[in-house]
Amino acid sequence: KQEVTQIPAALSVPEGENLVLNCSFTDSAIYNLQWFRQDPGKGLTSLLLIQSSQREQTSGRLNASLDKSSGRSTLYIAASQPGDSATYLCAPSWNTDKLIFGTGTRLQVFP
Amino acid sequence: EAQVTQNPRYLITVTGKKLTVTCSQNMNHEYMSWYRQDPGLGLRQIYYSMNVEVTDKGDVPEGYKVSRKEKRNFPLILESPSPNQTSLYFCASSLSEFQPQHFGDGTRLSIL
């Protein structure tokens, strides 16, 4: 069974810190992996999508890396800001029709 | 504005009373999907559709129905809702199964 684990479950840091959020998954034969952000009372916003053939993707202060062989992905957030406070979800896809989500890391960045 | 719209956003109802949650997207996306989100369980897929008239079960389809008669709409139907279907529901769409998914703002259902 394919499972996704995110560590830590929650994280509270002061503004300006660089952060690493971790995602691990069983079965390395993924098609791609997405990182999402969820704000309270809102839907999910796609941040980055990494294809299985890629090692990383970058968007602004965000960098996501993928190591398929070890079943890991990390989301790096540079120079964190209070506006980054949200829950971050990773979602690998093992076939062409569905994502499987981790339970997320709840991030709080305080001024 | 490109968006996925769900209605209603909130609903409190009683066991056994049929309900429909609508989902509409204005991006001409082929792929649409329904998820439920529960504390400690994360998001789980209920049903998905690769195109018009093509639907398939996700991980937790029991007690739900869907239809895809038009490309833009993908309603979720609970024929006889039960309390264990109390949850936060999300509809999502994407250009294809390989593209990032766009999510609606969610529908919070409470079944008493």
Side-chain angles (χ1 to χ4, degrees):
Chain A
K1 183 184 176 188
Q2 291 128 351
E3 296 181 348
V4 183
T5 304
Q6 290 188 247
I7 294 173
L11 187 60
S12 183
V13 299
E15 183 176 9
E17 283 210 359
N18 299 325
L19 308 171
V20 176
L21 307 183
N22 296 297
C23 172
S24 61
F25 46 91
T26 58
D27 188 348
S28 61
I30 61 171
Y31 275 80
N32 57 43
L33 184 145
Q34 292 187 57
W35 280 93
F36 292 87
R37 168 188 174 135
Q38 185 175 23
D39 293 282
K42 294 285 190 181
L44 281 70
T45 301
S46 181
L47 298 172
L48 291 162
L49 182 151
I50 312 177
Q51 301 293 349
S52 61
S53 58
Q54 297 174 316
R55 297 283 295 184
E56 64 179 292
Q57 279 281 358
T58 298
S59 176
R61 293 183 293 108
L62 303 180
N63 176 276
S65 67
L66 175 64
D67 183 345
K68 269 184 59 177
S69 60
S70 64
R72 294 175 194 270
S73 177
T74 60
L75 179 67
Y76 177 81
I77 303 176
S80 59
Q81 303 170 357
D84 295 330
S85 299
T87 296
Y88 291 82
L89 299 158
C90 81
S93 175
W94 277 275
N95 55 33
T96 59
D97 48 31
K98 70 177 182 180
L99 306 174
I100 296 179
F101 286 83
T103 52
T105 294
R106 191 170 63 252
L107 173 65
Q108 182 179 14
V109 181
F110 54 90
Chain B
E1 181 189 349
Q3 59 186 2
V4 178
T5 303
Q6 296 178 227
N7 279 298
R9 291 290 316 279
Y10 305 92
L11 179 64
I12 301 174
T13 187
V14 296
T15 298
K17 185 176 181 183
K18 180 180 177 180
L19 67 91
T20 299
V21 184
T22 63
C23 173
S24 180
Q25 50 91 6
N26 62 0
M27 296 167 278
N28 201 36
H29 284 169
E30 303 274 338
Y31 181 88
M32 297 186 75
S33 185
W34 276 103
Y35 298 88
R36 60 178 289 175
Q37 186 175 34
D38 301 288
L41 296 176
L43 278 111
R44 293 175 293 168
Q45 191 180 48
I46 303 170
Y47 269 95
Y48 63 94
S49 169
M50 305 275 271
N51 211 328
V52 175
E53 300 293 0
V54 179
T55 64
D56 212 340
K57 296 177 180 178
D59 292 319
V60 288
E62 294 79 19
Y64 304 94
K65 286 175 54 177
V66 293
S67 68
R68 188 91 183 273
K69 294 184 171 55
E70 310 162 275
K71 190 181 242 189
R72 64 182 292 127
N73 295 322
F74 190 45
L76 179 70
I77 302 155
L78 285 71
E79 293 271 5
S80 182
S82 62
N84 65 10
Q85 292 177 299
T86 293
S87 187
L88 179 59
Y89 291 85
F90 289 101
C91 179
S93 73
S94 60
L95 201 57
S96 76
E97 59 270 28
F98 301 110
Q99 298 296 317
Q101 292 193 19
H102 299 254
F103 280 74
D105 283 339
T107 295
R108 188 168 291 281
L109 285 184
S110 294
I111 315 294
L112 304 177

